[in-house]
Amino acid sequence: MDDMDDLQDLKARRAAVLLAHNYQPDEVQDAADHVGDSFELSLLASRTEAEVIVFCGVHFMAEAAVLLSPEKVVLLPDLEAGCPLAESATPADVRSLRAAHPGAAVVSYVNTTAAVKAESDVCVTSANAVEVVSALPQDEIIFLPDANLGRHIAERTGKRVITTGGHCPAHRAVTVKDVERARAETPGAVVMVHPEVPPEVAARADLVLGTGGMVRQARERPAKEFVIGTEAGMLYRLRKENPGKSFHLLSPALWCPDMKKTTLDKVTEALRDLSPRVVVPPEVAGPARRALERMLELTGGGS
Ligand code: 13P
């Protein structure tokens, strides 16, 4: 029996489902039951009948699974897998922005802690941010923590967006020069970037999309060559699902060390020991869950 058989056997015995984000290492994606973007994985977590969810991603994603499936055991194979962007915003930031802009809606990116979600009116992911913010009655929006995504939302919705100025270290490192180099080296390729990249980079791309949108565009467009402006792990799935097409990474800076902390050994150990488990205190879980459920309602994803 090899390691993968051990893992699949343990998974069956634990009645577990293995969810992996699009940025996860190749072998983790191969072992997963579902690979997806943060929105798709939240939906799957809210609907799964499994007793245990092994979340192969980073801490805020596992927390969102706990909020949406409170009766399940949610395991994060490496508790150190965090997100500097999510950790950059605090509940105190939300409270002071709310005090300064009392008429504004507080919209938090899913890349936030549960404590920040608990102070928010609604959550969004990169896949639905424009749709959710457009659906809100308020024209003034406090959005945190990603400043580049906040700017993208403002441009697409025409609303006034106030942000805290946070960034994803990998996405913010992409430059206009990277796009110019890609255009010169791969003329005719479709350049797709994540909305967390700087606005001057987004302005020069063909498409600005979350990772799920990139998967669909790569599948549906007749183009044969794509340049990808998001975390490097994305290329494995795109290449696997589109063998006749080629995919290039826009910049070597697009690499998230936290997403690479998951290994198959850690997944196997987590299933064997039912640890490390992610939990959210009830006083935080209630209001944080409401912000996520409001997102699902506004996107037609609620039950
Ligand atoms: P997605 O919403 O496309 O999954 O992106 C998640 C993310 O953390 C981007 O840095």
Side-chain angles (χ1 to χ4, degrees), residues 60-183:
F60 75 82
M61 296 180 177
E63 260 189 352
V66 174
L67 297 173
L68 290 166
S69 252
E71 72 288 3
K72 310 281 153 115
V73 172
V74 178
L75 305 173
L76 182 66
D78 187 330
L79 264 193
E80 298 292 312
C83 170
L85 174 64
E87 286 145 26
S88 73
T90 67
D93 293 333
V94 184
R95 287 196 286 268
S96 65
L97 282 166
R98 231 192 236 287
H101 307 276
V106 176
V107 179
S108 64
Y109 196 19
V110 72
N111 301 41
T112 46
T113 61
V116 166
K117 289 183 178 75
E119 300 276 344
S120 308
D121 298 317
V122 62
C123 279
V124 297
T125 75
S126 58
N128 59 35
V130 171
E131 182 188 0
V132 169
V133 171
S134 299
L136 295 174
Q138 294 91 336
D139 283 326
E140 192 178 36
I141 306 293
I142 294 165
F143 177 74
L144 69 169
D146 190 84
N148 293 336
L149 178 56
R151 172 106 168 237
H152 175 77
I153 295 169
E155 276 167 17
R156 301 282 166 112
T157 63
K159 298 198 179 190
R160 186 169 120 73
V161 178
I162 300 138
T163 71
T164 49
H167 290 98
C168 160
H171 285 102
R172 87 172 306 184
V174 185
T175 64
V176 169
K177 271 206 168 62
D178 292 321
V179 182
E180 288 169 353
R181 190 183 319 107
R183 295 274 187 214

Side-chain angles (χ1 to χ4, degrees), residues 261-284:
K261 287 182 176 156
T262 320
T263 63
L264 286 184
D265 282 347
K266 288 181 196 171
V267 173
T268 307
E269 280 165 31
L271 270 171
R272 190 192 57 212
D273 303 340
L274 288 183
S275 169
R277 184 172 174 182
V278 175
V279 287
V280 181
E283 65 279 12
V284 171

